[in-house]
Each structure stands twice: as C-alpha cells, then as structure tokens.
C-alpha cells in the first residue's frame, strides 16, 4: 500500500466532500434547517460551500473575492487543515473550537449563522477524516 503523495484536485475534493455530506445520516437527521453559505479557507485553496436544507448544493473551488457570497468563513493554514484530515487527528485538531483557541484557525463573518448550524458544520468538519484534507 502506498501513501497518498498529493491532495486531490480542488474540484475532486469538492465533489467528494459534497457527496460525503449529502450521504451522511447525521447531517440529514439534523439538517432540515441547515441552510447557509460559508467559506472554507485553507490558504492554498478556498471553497465556498452552499447548503440548502441540509444538502450541499454547490461547492465553488477557488472563487474570486466577489464571485460567490458567503455568510461566514473558517480560515486556517494548509497544515492545520491537513491535521484535520487525519483519520485520528492530534489534540487540538479535532474541532473548530479547539483549533481556534490553540491553533491558527479563525472564525469570521456572521457567527450567528455558524452557531445556528453548529452541529451540522461540526459534522462536516469531521467528514474531513473520511474525504481528506481540502489541500
């Protein structure tokens, strides 16, 4: 078995992430009102994830600054996102709150929308352990 030497393309990751999220029973159970758009910023790549009623309807890879509107952003270095994508993340890389308190993760924008959808956002971040790092 060989280790993966590079991350998938931005488009391939976006497709895998949308599929994993849309097929996740926990998100579907909790996500009836999970409707928002957010930016996942991994320094080397950015994604705007659009969700309607718990389903990812579109993921825009590497949008320009005015291409797609979003309500809040989750920003961290590529190294932090790579740690999140590990099957068993190291301490302080297991969730957005731990990483924002102890690492370089920043939560910006309309945090109320983030808090209203926190369980589903948390689950989507946990899915990085399945689909891998966005970078």
């Amino acid at each position: 078995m060989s280790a993966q030497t590079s991350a998938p393309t931005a488009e391939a990751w976006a497709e895998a992430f949308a599929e994993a999220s849309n097929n996740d029973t926990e998100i579907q159970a909790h996500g009836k009102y999970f409707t928002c758009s957010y930016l996942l910023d991994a320094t080397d790549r950015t994604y705007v994830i659009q969700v309607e009623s718990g389903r990812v309807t579109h993921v825009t890879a590497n949008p320009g600054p005015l291409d797609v509107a979003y309500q809040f952003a989750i920003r961290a270095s590529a190294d932090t996102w790579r740690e999140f994508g590990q099957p068993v993340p190291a301490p302080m890389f297991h969730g957005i709150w731990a990483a924002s308190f102890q690492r370089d993760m920043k939560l910006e924008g309309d945090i109320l929308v983030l808090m209203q959808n926190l369980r589903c956002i948390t689950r989507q971040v946990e899915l990085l352990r399945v689909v891998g790092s966005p970078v």
Side-chain angles (χ1 to χ4, degrees):
M1 177 187 275
S2 63
Q4 184 177 359
T5 57
S6 65
T9 65
E11 293 74 18
W13 182 88
E15 185 176 314
F17 179 80
E19 182 178 340
S21 183
N22 290 342
N23 291 322
D24 187 74
T25 56
E26 185 175 334
I27 291 175
Q28 297 315 305
H30 293 284
K32 181 177 181 180
Y33 301 105
F34 177 29
T35 298
C36 64
S37 292
Y38 66 95
L39 176 77
L40 192 149
D41 182 351
T43 309
D44 298 338
R45 292 182 185 167
T46 58
Y47 303 87
V48 174
I49 300 164
Q50 296 170 280
V51 182
E52 292 180 27
S53 301
R55 298 198 52 81
V56 174
T57 57
H58 196 271
V59 179
T60 304
N62 298 314
L66 300 175
D67 289 349
V68 184
Y70 56 88
Q71 294 159 301
F72 61 91
I74 305 173
R75 300 179 191 277
S77 68
D79 288 338
T80 294
W81 288 114
R82 285 185 193 103
E83 289 293 329
F84 267 89
Q86 296 298 314
V88 178
M92 308 316 287
F93 292 104
H94 63 280
I96 62 174
W97 297 113
S100 66
F101 295 142
Q102 298 293 323
R103 303 292 176 205
D104 65 353
M105 185 166 280
K106 303 217 179 335
L107 308 173
E108 301 173 349
D110 192 344
I111 301 303
L112 175 61
V113 175
L114 169 64
M115 295 304 288
Q116 290 169 329
N117 296 290
L118 185 59
R119 182 61 222 139
C120 291
I121 297 291
T122 299
R123 181 63 187 145
Q124 283 187 325
V125 170
E126 291 170 353
L127 288 175
L128 296 181
R129 297 173 194 155
V130 175
V131 299
S133 168
V135 288

